[in-house]
Amino acid sequence: MADNSLIFHYFSHQRFLFKTFFFIPTTLALITTLVILVYISITSHFFFAHHHHHHHHRHQQQFARFVYPKHPPSPPHNVSNDTHLFLDLPRGGGGSASVSQRSARDHWGSSGKYMNNNEVFHDRDIFLEDYKQMNRSFRIYVYPHKQNEPFANVLLPVNFEPSGNYASESYFKRVLMQSHFITKNPNEADLFFLPFSIARLRHDPRIGVEGIQHFIQHYILNISQKYPYWNRTGGADHFYVACHSVGRSAMDKAWTVKLNAIQVVCSSSYYLSSYIPHKDASLPQIWPRHIDPPNLASSKRKKLAFFAGSINSPVREKLIQYWRNDSEIFAHFGRVKTSYADELLGSKFCLHVKGFEVNTARIADSLYYGCVPVIIANHYDLPFADILNWKSFSVVVATLDIPLLKKILKEISSDRYLLLQSNVMKVRKHFQWHLFPIDYDAFYMVLYELWLRRSSLGLRVQLSSSFDSY
């Protein structure tokens, strides 16, 4: 009997250990799952807050009062008189068409609102209303510098018309400094512009690529000691602009710029830790042109697709490997012997293929010549993606699908292609620079992206402060 009691006690003890063995890890797993879910919920709200805000921030009361420019370069555009620019665009929602009649490519957005991928704007009406408000109230303060300073050449705008592959950076700064968005009163500024030029620092023999990081580090230290504005938010209401990819590594010794400030950069990739979507913004890389864009009907475009460029990435190497000898996809290594413009004008689709970075000027080239861009660059945060519906005027192909490229393009119906090409003609005005800006051109579109981001500053500053308290 005693033996039975001992056995019973033994197995009872083992059952207890058995239950405990499973109970503790199960409890820990449940707690871990709850923590992960809470984290995802918080971070999702943080990173996507500005998209929801995009639809209701126009109702917020603006605190920045209207200030006339001290030296306006030309009479300001009256946006209310320019809405005719959008009369050729269909109104949002698909009109009276039933759901069964809508394109199979249309879908319901995350907010539950019907999204029509035939339209070039996510929401045309909101954009136009917000654009007017931005033009009236948006104010930017630029840290002042004089011509006699040692590095005036990298801090002041250029006194010539920008050119070349990375002209977007210089165009933006030169046009901004002459615009009515500039304020001399920092207390009424929505954002603060860090005016250093990455492109000019790169070519300055006193600095060069190796010295850019130290220059930026000392610049931030100087303005934080001389002015109170950086320290109020940890730089969250500051921004800089750079088109060359070296601009990303330029912040390696100034982490507060990388983490807090708004980076407006051409090399805007989700894959890079230095680029934070929804905080930072994509700057379009545009080769400047001075004549009106050509208009060639799609019926005269005989080639299916075209690409020319150096093989400076595995993606381009794969493209050339599969399609260099094809009779319909013309993929060239290096420069073409024929006119580059004629090749773009004669092709239905023009390939934008990732090189060292996700960005090149080829998207803007395609749009300028009325060619539907095919984007083969994973993780590319496309320019003006908060405003423009890229599915309505471009084709995105994953790099893994390069062997299927011809099949993908051939499956696009004639009607769908005509719609894509028609929308290309509508959006290309947003991808052009002018020394004296024209409403809805590249300058105003970049300003609008910045204007959207100024609305999330309160949340980002609160989060930054809470992290600093730990």
Side-chain angles (χ1 to χ4, degrees):
M1 194 70 183
D3 290 340
N4 290 337
S5 299
L6 286 172
I7 292 171
F8 177 79
H9 176 74
Y10 174 79
F11 280 106
S12 298
H13 181 65
Q14 292 301 312
R15 281 198 300 270
F16 173 77
L17 291 176
F18 183 81
K19 291 178 181 178
T20 305
F21 176 80
F22 280 96
F23 176 75
I24 292 175
T26 303
T27 304
L28 290 174
L30 288 172
I31 293 172
T32 303
T33 302
L34 287 172
V35 170
I36 291 172
L37 288 173
V38 171
Y39 173 79
I40 291 173
S41 175
I42 293 172
T43 53
S44 297
H45 174 77
F46 169 68
F47 283 119
F48 293 97
H50 95 279
H51 277 299
H52 296 291
H53 185 82
H54 182 190
H55 291 280
H56 68 75
H57 65 198
R58 65 190 188 280
H59 300 297
Q60 295 180 341
Q61 184 175 1
Q62 296 297 308
F63 61 85
R65 63 184 178 87
F66 184 83
V67 179
Y68 287 99
K70 189 173 181 181
H71 300 292
S74 60
H77 293 283
N78 188 331
V79 181
S80 61
N81 291 335
D82 286 335
T83 53
H84 66 275
L85 291 172
F86 293 91
L87 292 180
D88 58 339
L89 301 177
R91 304 290 289 190
S96 59
S98 65
V99 174
S100 61
Q101 292 172 318
R102 291 168 178 155
S103 167
R105 299 173 185 270
D106 301 341
H107 62 281
W108 294 87
S110 59
S111 63
K113 183 176 180 179
Y114 177 72
M115 305 295 289
N116 186 345
N117 282 333
N118 295 337
E119 308 226 8
V120 297
F121 290 96
H122 294 303
D123 195 312
R124 172 186 177 276
D125 294 331
I126 285 180
F127 170 67
L128 289 177
E129 184 177 342
D130 285 352
Y131 187 95
K132 294 177 186 178
Q133 189 176 352
M134 175 199 75
N135 233 348
R136 288 193 304 265
S137 64
F138 195 25
R139 293 294 172 264
I140 295 172
Y141 179 80
V142 183
Y143 287 102
H145 297 283
K146 299 178 179 178
Q147 288 285 356
N148 59 358
E149 292 183 25
F151 291 100
N153 62 310
V154 300
L155 296 169
L156 296 177
V158 296
N159 56 5
F160 52 84
E161 187 164 359
S163 62
N165 214 18
Y166 306 107
S168 293
E169 174 188 316
S170 296
Y171 255 105
F172 176 83
K173 183 161 75 169
R174 174 166 173 166
V175 176
L176 174 67
M177 296 300 287
Q178 301 176 37
S179 74
H180 66 278
F181 295 103
I182 295 296
T183 177
K184 301 294 184 181
N185 181 2
N187 294 319
E188 66 182 15
D190 299 297
L191 293 179
F192 293 77
F193 179 42
L194 302 169
F196 48 76
S197 168
I198 297 298
R200 306 213 79 188
L201 284 167
R202 177 171 167 255
H203 292 294
D204 192 312
R206 299 168 297 175
I207 304 166
V209 174
E210 296 77 12
I212 292 180
Q213 295 179 5
H214 291 286
F215 183 93
I216 303 298
Q217 181 185 33
H218 285 102
Y219 185 84
I220 299 300
L221 179 63
N222 287 338
I223 64 167
S224 64
Q225 292 177 344
K226 187 175 180 180
Y227 302 94
Y229 316 115
W230 177 272
N231 300 320
R232 291 185 312 187
T233 64
D237 54 358
H238 287 58
F239 73 95
Y240 80 93
V241 175
C243 198
H244 196 282
S245 59
V246 75
R248 190 176 62 253
S249 61
M251 307 301 147
D252 284 351
K253 294 185 183 298
W255 274 93
T256 49
V257 178
K258 187 176 293 188
L259 295 177
N260 293 346
I262 301 168
Q263 303 177 93
V264 185
V265 293
C266 289
S267 53
S268 51
S269 174
Y270 294 116
Y271 186 73
L272 300 170
S273 60
S274 57
Y275 181 83
I276 305 174
H278 311 296
K279 173 183 78 70
D280 301 329
S282 179
L283 179 71
Q285 187 169 345
I286 301 170
W287 190 279
R289 293 180 172 89
H290 304 290
I291 58 175
D292 292 334
N295 188 1
L296 185 64
S298 58
S299 60
K300 296 183 180 180
R301 297 177 182 269
K302 303 302 182 184
K303 296 179 180 178
L304 178 64
F306 166 76
F307 171 82
S310 58
I311 303 180
N312 56 4
S313 72
V315 180
R316 293 187 180 181
E317 185 176 346
K318 188 175 181 180
L319 178 81
I320 298 297
Q321 174 188 343
Y322 275 92
W323 301 111
R324 70 181 306 166
N325 297 318
D326 192 78
S327 60
E328 295 180 279
I329 295 178
F330 293 81
H332 299 272
F333 166 62
R335 294 183 178 273
V336 291
K337 296 179 180 179
T338 55
S339 165
Y340 181 67
D342 289 343
E343 293 288 350
L344 296 176
L345 285 167
S347 303
K348 291 183 177 180
F349 297 96
C350 294
L351 308 182
H352 165 91
V353 188
K354 180 188 181 302
F356 285 122
E357 298 287 346
V358 293
N359 58 290
T360 73
R362 286 177 178 81
I363 288 181
D365 291 345
S366 301
L367 298 175
Y368 181 84
Y369 288 105
C371 184
V372 176
V374 177
I375 300 155
I376 310 177
N378 296 350
H379 316 297
Y380 187 7
D381 187 18
L382 292 162
F384 314 142
D386 294 309
I387 313 162
L388 299 177
N389 176 16
W390 280 81
K391 290 182 180 180
S392 71
F393 61 90
S394 70
V395 179
V396 178
V397 176
T399 56
L400 287 175
D401 289 336
I402 286 176
L404 304 174
L405 180 60
K406 183 188 285 190
K407 180 177 183 292
I408 292 170
L409 297 182
K410 289 258 189 183
E411 286 180 349
I412 297 173
S413 67
S414 298
D415 289 344
R416 182 64 190 172
Y417 175 78
L418 289 174
L419 179 63
L420 289 170
Q421 210 249 348
S422 174
N423 287 339
V424 162
M425 308 303 279
K426 294 174 183 176
V427 302
R428 62 182 180 177
K429 59 175 167 279
H430 306 307
F431 293 83
Q432 295 176 39
W433 292 106
H434 304 93
L435 284 179
F436 298 100
I438 299 172
D439 272 318
Y440 315 110
D441 71 356
F443 170 73
Y444 278 107
M445 296 291 276
V446 173
L447 257 291
Y448 184 80
E449 289 279 21
L450 285 167
W451 188 79
L452 290 178
R453 280 153 177 76
R454 105 261 178 249
S455 62
S456 65
L457 291 175
L459 174 62
R460 292 202 288 115
V461 171
Q462 290 173 19
L463 287 172
S464 178
S465 300
S466 62
F467 288 144
D468 291 341
S469 63
Y470 284 103

